[in-house]
Amino acid sequence: MQVKQIGLLTAGGDGPGMNAAIRSVVRCALAQGFKVKGVLRGYDGLIKGEVVNLDHRSVANIINRGGTILKTARSKEIRTPAGLKKAVATIRQHELDALIAIGGDGTYRAANELFTRFHIPIVGLPGTIDNDLVGTDQTVSSNTAINTAIESIDKIRDTAHSMERIFVIEVMGNKSGFIAMQVALASGAEDVIIPEQKFNYAKLYQDMVEGNKKGKLSWMVIAAEGAAKAQDVAKRITQATGLETRYVVLGHVQRGGTPVASDRILATRLGAEAVQLIRKGKFGKAVGVLQNKIHIIDLAKARRRENLNYKENYKLLKILT
Ligand code: F6P
């Protein structure tokens, strides 16, 4: 079947850089003679038939904007057989000959269902702040989220240092400790709690008490949301050491803002590659980069990356602090 029209959607958590990917897909597709339609609100919009035309000008002035102009949602319905069937009906009704789905693990799972069960020609593009997908070293949005978190943590450092306080700072990342580890290394935090490795709380308390005796009064501990709640950690530190501890949950601030250059470039490259795959008739795939080279993987395999080994990074962090 010859593809004439491509449908494009963003699903799951939004992230800065998604718009740059949308722009790249739309303009690369148009340049190759495809028509492009945008599906609003991710798979929920696909189920409900929320489809709009996209042209060259629809994606003007968005390369620098956070979020997604197509809107996004976490669809529960797409996980059901009825939801999938409704999505397929929209695809047929609007003559979407192929689809590009931008998102993370959940987005890929639904895309793979559409591909394997209904033979929908579909390609995935990794867009999540969590950087937790197999088949790519980097997902679009992750670098911006890390930079945003660091900016806030640098500010916390000012007050932590001035008031000689302990701070526990919770960052996002779902079940992955990637953001937390990157942020901890880049912000000079004293410690980091991540899901991928067991954390020695007793040692932390001991270090804090000993440090306190020697005059080291300000500490920053980064907690990945998938490993510990900052509020609980702060409470436990105070109980164990008697030292006053504050906590901050950075939350959704990490998902917004202007995308950094590396996210814009990655989004642009991957958008172009996704269109290439469609042109070549290669479906059921996800685009990514490994060692900065484009890498293509089966959607079925591009699942959540688990149990990464952060021992070396952690060792380095402890040497430095
Ligand atoms: O997947 C991106 C992410 O920001 C995770 O880091 C976080 O756990 C989750 O989404 C939060 O989701 P929501 O915005 O639906 O609360």
Side-chain angles (χ1 to χ4, degrees), residues 89-106:
T90 302
I91 292 168
R92 307 247 189 271
Q93 188 196 336
H94 289 269
E95 297 175 339
L96 307 177
D97 305 320
L99 264 187
I100 295 178
I102 304 174
D105 176 57

Side-chain angles (χ1 to χ4, degrees), residues 12-14 74 128-130 132 172-175 179 225 252 255:
D14 60 283
R74 295 196 190 281
T128 163
I129 63 165
D130 299 337
D132 59 350
M172 278 190 169
N174 199 358
K175 290 176 186 152
I179 294 179
E225 65 171 351
H252 289 79
R255 285 235 298 259

